[in-house]
Amino acid sequence: MDNLAQVTTEHLPSHRPAAAPAAGRVPRLSLRENLAGVAAMRRDQLGFLIRTVRDKGDIFHMRLGGLPTVMVNHPDYLQHVLVDHHQNYNKDNFLYRATRTVLREGLVANKGGAEWRRHRRLMQPSFQHASVASFSANISDLTGEMLNRWETRFGDDTVVDVSTETADLALQIVLRSLFGIVSPDRGRRFAEDFVEVNSIAGDFFRFPFPPLSWYSPKRNRLRALIRSLDAFIADLIEARLNSETGQTDLFTLLLNAMDEETGTGLTHDQLASEILSMIIAGYETSSNSIAWIFYQLAAHQDVQRRVQEEVDGVLAGRVPAFEDLPKLAYTRMVIDETLRMFTPAWQTMRHAIDDDVIGGYHIPRGTDIYLNMFTFHRHPEFWPEPDRFDPERFTPEEVAKRPRNVYQPFGSGPRHCLGKHFALTELHIITVMLAQRLHATRPAGQPPAGFAPLITLHPKGGIHLRFKRR
Ligand code: HEM
């Protein structure tokens, strides 16, 4: 899919999930459609999925990268899989098997079960309101440093490579929150390695052959990259253990966390996997979100002006504090709408442990269920004119009109994003600070940004914008 203009879902028929006879068979793509799909997925994954949902409805059986899956695209079905019957759905599927090659048994890719629950119980308190509030100064300090750099380095006519800058920023934010101050140079190599991992993993998901355990130049490269990511984490942990900073960072909280139910904490290996998972889950998604938010502000000047008015009115030029954020409600609506259209964690999968029935359709045990937030957030029954950017969809009145779980940027149920409040605080503070200081525009003649659907949803070729001091 090359540009936004090509994502045309506006004329899809409005439909309820088709009624099925008791435990009916899930509709299937034909052999011809599946074969065409393998090629189409490699060329234009999002376009193929959008067309297939339009033609087949809210639940259908397809071969994804050649492997059998059932795709569900209705809020009732997502509610069923992720929340109401979550005990029957784990992450033992090919998307997460591939992800586990990199993230091992950290929370994100963990199959699920008692050990996942123990880790989640241990880690959850470190991501609650009070902890997130205590990390918000890291976010505003680092954003301030980035904007100072922009103001001195870039004149009004320079086109800024926003994606690279926001990747640096988001990585520094998660590293500083975890470990206190970490030199920016140390993070850069990690970021470069991870971009390559993401691209190899994205290719694998579109066409999962040969298996990751085989030996081939690409698979060997992946192994080398994973060793390099591991070495980076091991160095950070060692350096942090050898320096008594006296600060309460996330690392200290996790190192000292104790599970009351079992009386156990995390071993050093478990801590290393969790830290790698958090850095990867936390920086890539946030960095893409920030780049897309800046892009939307530049593309919608009226929205940008309204954000600037709100920010000026509430803060009168001072740096935002955590407590200011609830007052910056329109800015938050802009963030919510951007996460609807460009949801970075755009796909996930579950594996049915036992036979089940979803919406009247029989799901045999062992079925892999595919959930795609890109198509889901464009469901025409719940999102009229889904390709139109419109923050007004997120006024409290509009939100109250929609069914629950129709909006899923952070997932839902017990495996919803651990870093949701952290991420929303980060996006909010960064957007506010940008709007306070700079005005963004798109360079004349720039074509609309396209999508690169890797493991996370990237802007294809990055986001490039001009900024002017306000
Ligand atoms: C805009 C930014 C972010 C988005 C859109 C996002 C999205 C998501 C989604 C959709 C899931 C659930 C996946 C599934 O159900 O299969 C998830 C899980 C997770 N996220 Fe995030 N995330 C973001 C930022 C963060 C940050 C900042 C952190 C931590 C610092 C984080 C840590 C995690 C972890 C640990 C999990 C796994 C939770 C579990 O399975 O128990 N995320 N994220």
Side-chain angles (χ1 to χ4, degrees):
M1 179 155 311
D2 280 323
N3 60 49
L4 289 181
Q6 284 176 274
V7 190
T8 45
T9 50
E10 290 175 20
H11 308 298
L12 300 191
S14 165
H15 52 273
R16 300 220 148 265
R25 195 163 178 249
V26 173
R28 301 176 89 83
L29 264 64
S30 67
L31 178 64
R32 200 166 58 82
E33 287 168 327
N34 270 316
L35 285 175
V38 172
M41 283 281 284
R42 295 180 84 174
R43 242 187 358 257
D44 175 14
Q45 188 170 3
L46 296 176
F48 168 72
L49 291 169
I50 288 277
R51 286 190 299 279
T52 311
V53 166
R54 181 189 56 205
D55 296 344
K56 300 290 169 190
D58 289 329
I59 181 163
F60 52 88
H61 182 286
M62 68 191 273
R63 290 198 162 258
L64 195 61
L67 301 174
T69 39
V70 168
M71 178 161 175
V72 297
N73 199 54
H74 192 277
D76 293 350
Y77 302 164
L78 269 82
Q79 173 78 16
H80 181 109
V81 173
L82 298 180
V83 187
D84 298 341
H85 298 264
H86 68 87
Q87 298 91 337
N88 193 42
Y89 293 93
N90 67 18
K91 288 195 173 181
D92 188 12
N93 50 62
F94 81 94
L95 173 63
Y96 281 105
R97 272 196 291 279
T99 315
R100 270 197 295 279
T101 314
V102 183
L103 297 183
R104 268 55 60 88
E105 298 304 323
L107 278 188
V108 175
N110 194 296
K111 220 189 285 183
E115 194 53 13
W116 164 79
R117 254 192 311 280
R118 188 179 76 89
H119 282 220
R120 178 92 193 195
R121 271 199 311 266
L122 271 163
M123 295 172 66
Q124 191 127 308
S126 308
F127 286 87
Q128 276 160 1
H129 193 267
S131 310
V132 172
S134 73
F135 298 127
S136 62
N138 290 337
I139 302 169
S140 49
D141 288 353
L142 285 160
T143 308
E145 286 168 25
M146 179 186 81
L147 295 175
N148 291 344
R149 230 177 25 245
W150 285 16
E151 285 179 358
T152 48
R153 213 166 68 199
F154 306 127
D156 283 351
D157 278 329
T158 317
V159 175
V160 178
D161 176 354
V162 173
S163 307
T164 306
E165 295 284 324
T166 57
D168 260 7
L169 174 64
L171 184 57
Q172 289 309 316
I173 288 173
V174 73
L175 289 178
R176 190 174 289 188
S177 305
L178 271 162
F179 293 108
I181 291 178
V182 174
S183 132
D185 295 337
R186 297 186 77 169
R188 214 147 284 142
R189 169 79 195 277
F190 176 90
E192 283 163 15
D193 285 350
F194 183 67
V195 167
E196 229 185 309
V197 168
N198 200 343
S199 155
I200 297 176
D203 282 350
F204 177 77
F205 189 71
R206 274 185 290 282
F207 193 68
F209 301 102
L212 288 175
S213 54
W214 285 25
Y215 286 85
S216 69
K218 257 211 174 146
R219 301 291 179 262
N220 294 345
R221 177 72 191 138
L222 183 63
R223 282 186 195 92
L225 290 165
I226 293 170
R227 280 196 298 276
S228 173
L229 298 181
D230 285 349
F232 172 77
I233 301 295
D235 280 358
L236 283 176
I237 293 182
E238 197 183 319
R240 180 66 186 76
L241 286 173
N242 291 332
S243 70
E244 210 17 89
T245 61
Q247 330 170 56
T248 306
D249 45 33
L250 262 175
F251 178 78
T252 321
L253 292 176
L254 296 174
L255 185 70
N256 297 328
M258 189 61 73
D259 176 31
E260 283 176 13
E261 224 167 88
T262 56
T264 53
L266 294 172
T267 65
H268 276 206
D269 278 354
Q270 288 168 341
L271 192 57
S273 294
E274 292 300 357
I275 284 172
L276 179 64
S277 289
M278 271 185 294
I279 295 175
I280 288 181
Y283 108 86
E284 253 274 320
T285 44
S286 302
S287 124
N288 285 315
S289 308
I290 304 160
W292 285 119
I293 293 166
F294 287 11
Y295 175 81
Q296 290 297 50
L297 290 176
H300 301 274
Q301 292 288 314
D302 51 331
V303 172
Q304 183 170 189
R305 282 204 193 88
R306 225 179 124 186
V307 169
Q308 289 168 349
E309 274 165 31
E310 178 177 81
V311 164
D312 294 348
V314 172
L315 297 170
R318 85 191 145 72
V319 174
F322 185 72
E323 298 69 38
D324 293 315
L325 298 180
K327 289 174 250 160
L328 296 154
Y330 182 71
T331 311
R332 173 62 193 270
M333 284 160 56
V334 172
I335 294 167
D336 288 342
E337 173 67 344
T338 308
L339 290 178
R340 177 187 72 82
M341 291 187 75
F342 309 108
T343 193
W346 62 288
Q347 58 179 359
T348 186
M349 282 185 97
R350 294 293 190 269
H351 175 82
I353 298 169
D354 226 326
D355 284 358
D356 197 7
V357 175
I358 300 182
Y361 294 101
H362 177 54
I363 303 292
R365 65 186 293 191
T367 304
D368 281 349
I369 306 284
Y370 181 56
L371 310 150
N372 188 295
M373 306 314 169
F374 187 90
T375 57
F376 184 64
H377 285 167
R378 285 168 171 73
H379 196 305
E381 186 178 336
F382 308 103
W383 306 104
E385 295 184 76
D387 296 319
R388 191 164 61 82
F389 176 73
D390 180 9
E392 298 300 318
R393 297 180 204 269
F394 287 91
T395 58
E397 299 73 38
E398 288 301 313
V399 170
K401 282 187 207 158
R402 282 191 294 268
R404 64 187 176 155
N405 272 337
V406 71
Y407 180 61
Q408 295 271 348
F410 295 98
S412 51
R415 299 209 67 165
H416 76 273
C417 178
L418 183 74
K420 176 178 173 181
H421 298 302
F422 185 104
L424 284 171
T425 302
E426 178 178 1
L427 302 185
H428 213 158
I429 291 179
I430 295 171
T431 309
V432 165
M433 290 181 73
L434 176 91
Q436 268 182 322
R437 291 174 60 171
L438 298 171
H439 186 90
T441 49
R442 287 175 57 203
Q446 185 189 61
F451 300 109
L454 308 179
I455 290 296
T456 46
L457 186 68
H458 280 237
K460 192 174 185 180
I463 298 286
H464 298 89
L465 301 173
R466 283 187 209 285
F467 294 94
K468 218 182 190 151
R469 271 182 228 206
R470 288 189 58 213

